[in-house]
Amino acid sequence: EPEVTQTPSHQVTQMGQEVILRCVPISNHLYFYWYRQILGQKVEFLVSFYNNEISEKSEIFDDQFSVERPDGSNFTLKIRSTKLEDSAMYFCASNVGSSYNEQFFGPGTRLTVL
Amino acid sequence: AQKVTQAQTEISVVEKEDVTLDCVYETRDTTYYLFWYKQPPSGELVFLIRRNSFDEQNEISGRYSWNFQKSTSSFNFTITASQVVDSAVYFCALSEADSWGKLQFGAGTQVVVTP
């Protein structure tokens, strides 16, 4: 069964450093998403991406964040200058069609900012 | 503003007991979609069910059942005859038709099933 994959599973970085989190969505999916979950809290929407551009983003997704689909398979989230409060689990998700269809989530990348 | 409210933070039951998780949502859209996801201790998010706003028919899948009531803006989830493997955090989520798929999650309910 196809699945969303994410690398790395755990990333440790120093405050102020740039990080890139990588995701490979399910191959026939058209919509891609990033969410984050601070430890013990709810899952929060960051951004949705369709047709090579951002469809919607949340208030969390400020100028420090960017997304890219550099090739036909990868979908990346970049944080330019990490802060302590960026420490969280970051989930990538994808689906066939926007609001109606269920989103399939990757296993997550745990980001720890020291 | 909180769009999805899961008032129960944690529910503890003994195996074979039934457990009902409450979910209340808020939206002005007439077309929207509701979801339940399970997050086991391993951390992944597992899709359980999707409902659209025009389909209030309740659904049963094995030991799981869902009760969708637009009149009270609720989409409750019941696990019948709970098992230890049901121990997880369960999230209710809302997607509005014009939101490009943005899922708005509730705070989650931790279910603890003891033998």
Side-chain angles (χ1 to χ4, degrees):
Chain A
E1 187 174 322
E3 57 183 21
V4 177
T5 60
Q6 290 185 244
T7 54
S9 57
H10 191 190
Q11 173 94 46
V12 180
T13 190
Q14 296 290 324
M15 190 170 55
Q17 294 296 304
E18 174 183 288
V19 295
I20 297 176
L21 310 183
R22 292 183 166 80
C23 167
V24 178
I26 294 173
S27 61
N28 65 331
H29 286 184
L30 302 176
Y31 294 80
F32 314 117
Y33 311 86
W34 284 101
Y35 294 82
R36 79 171 186 189
Q37 184 181 29
I38 295 171
L39 188 62
Q41 298 187 22
K42 70 176 180 181
V43 180
E44 300 174 290
F45 170 80
L46 292 178
V47 66
S48 59
F49 190 86
Y50 169 70
N51 200 26
N52 278 320
E53 59 183 30
I54 291 174
S55 308
E56 186 160 350
K57 58 184 181 179
S58 70
E59 294 173 354
I60 303 167
F61 195 89
D62 61 22
D63 292 345
Q64 292 301 310
F65 291 86
S66 62
V67 289
E68 192 179 32
R69 188 153 163 83
D71 53 42
S73 59
N74 290 283
F75 179 51
T76 62
L77 174 69
K78 183 195 294 187
I79 309 175
R80 287 190 185 79
S81 179
T82 50
K83 305 176 194 139
L84 295 176
E85 54 264 38
D86 292 328
S87 294
M89 180 73 89
Y90 288 81
F91 291 102
C92 174
S94 69
N95 65 359
V96 174
S98 195
S99 299
Y100 174 73
N101 297 101
E102 64 269 28
Q103 294 177 23
F104 292 87
F105 284 79
T109 293
R110 178 163 297 286
L111 177 65
T112 302
V113 182
L114 304 175
Chain B
Q2 187 81 298
K3 292 255 186 174
V4 179
T5 301
Q6 295 180 255
Q8 305 146 307
T9 306
E10 181 172 327
I11 302 175
S12 293
V13 296
V14 177
E15 216 171 12
K16 297 183 183 174
E17 289 183 341
D18 298 348
V19 55
T20 295
L21 312 181
D22 298 332
C23 173
V24 175
Y25 62 92
E26 179 186 333
T27 180
R28 292 181 183 175
D29 286 12
T30 55
T31 302
Y32 54 88
Y33 309 92
L34 297 164
F35 303 81
W36 276 94
Y37 281 85
K38 174 182 179 180
Q39 188 173 45
S42 50
E44 71 271 27
L45 287 161
V46 179
F47 165 76
L48 294 178
I49 191 172
R50 174 192 67 230
R51 261 291 175 266
N52 73 57
S53 53
F54 300 107
D55 182 4
E56 284 194 75
Q57 190 172 10
N58 293 328
E59 182 158 338
I60 298 175
S61 176
R63 295 184 297 106
Y64 295 170
S65 61
W66 291 269
N67 183 301
F68 176 30
Q69 294 200 349
K70 286 179 73 171
S71 60
T72 56
S73 297
S74 65
F75 185 42
N76 297 338
F77 171 32
T78 296
I79 304 172
T80 303
S82 59
Q83 299 176 1
V84 172
V85 292
D86 296 326
S87 296
V89 180
Y90 292 86
F91 291 98
C92 180
L94 166 72
S95 177
E96 294 163 317
D98 60 352
S99 68
W100 289 96
K102 174 175 73 176
L103 281 175
Q104 300 175 79
F105 284 83
T109 297
Q110 170 87 57
V111 172
V112 179
V113 183
T114 52

